[in-house]
């Protein structure tokens, strides 16, 4: 993944990660990529659950994991895993509210939030 790291550094995206910033805070690329990997994991599993094609989401998940691996330091493994799991659980909850909710208004809000979260991640992936 050295070529990926060099590419990200050239773009200014691979600033040194402190491992202490919350996901989404400026300057912590590792947290951002790990959060997106978690969101894509939830999306992938949810699509399997409801019988929809997950091919594209699976591809995006893999790309995000590659980005995480390219920018994280060896000592960040546990924190990266925590960010991924936290984001996966949050996204899964939104998806469940969106698809299995008896309150249409709440289901709509959850669907909108899930789409927004994923679209922010999708903006990081080209192609």
């Amino acid at each position: 993944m050295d070529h990926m790291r060099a590419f990200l550094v050239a773009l200014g995206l691979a600033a040194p990660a402190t491992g202490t910033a919350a996901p989404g805070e400026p300057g912590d690329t590792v947290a951002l990529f790990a959060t997106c990997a978690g969101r894509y994991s939830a999306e992938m599993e949810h699509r399997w659950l409801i019988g929809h094609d997950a091919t594209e989401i699976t591809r995006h998940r893999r790309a995000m994991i590659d980005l995480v691996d390219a920018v994280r330091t060896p000592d960040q493994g546990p924190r990266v895993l925590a960010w991924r799991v936290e984001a996966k659980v949050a996204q899964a909850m939104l998806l469940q509210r969106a698809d299995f909710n008896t309150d249409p208004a709440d289901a709509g809000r959850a669907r909108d939030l899930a789409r927004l979260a994923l679209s922010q991640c999708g903006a990081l992936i080209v192609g």
Side-chain angles (χ1 to χ4, degrees):
M1 268 306 128
D2 288 340
H3 64 284
M4 180 75 76
R5 186 164 182 58
F7 175 71
L8 292 170
V9 169
L11 289 176
L13 294 175
T18 63
T20 58
E25 284 186 8
D28 199 317
T29 307
V30 177
L32 178 61
F33 291 160
T35 296
C36 287
R39 288 176 184 163
Y40 278 120
S41 292
E43 288 283 339
M44 180 182 72
E45 291 177 8
H46 189 75
R47 288 182 186 208
W48 291 341
L49 173 70
I50 61 174
H52 289 140
D53 181 37
T55 304
E56 183 178 7
I57 291 296
T58 302
R59 186 171 48 84
H60 290 303
R61 176 184 169 272
R62 181 72 253 163
M64 203 55 65
I65 291 169
D66 287 345
L67 289 170
V68 170
D69 290 343
V71 297
R72 77 176 185 90
T73 59
D75 64 324
Q76 289 180 304
R79 189 64 196 131
V80 166
L81 181 59
W83 281 322
R84 286 183 63 183
V85 169
E86 290 166 8
K88 180 180 176 181
V89 168
Q91 190 76 5
M93 290 175 62
L94 288 173
L95 294 168
Q96 290 168 16
R97 276 180 46 209
D99 285 347
F100 305 116
N101 198 334
T102 57
D103 178 351
D106 187 54
R109 284 190 298 275
R111 186 172 292 105
D112 290 345
L113 288 171
R115 285 181 184 153
L116 176 62
L118 205 64
S119 71
Q120 292 169 343
C121 295
L124 300 172
I125 300 174
V126 177

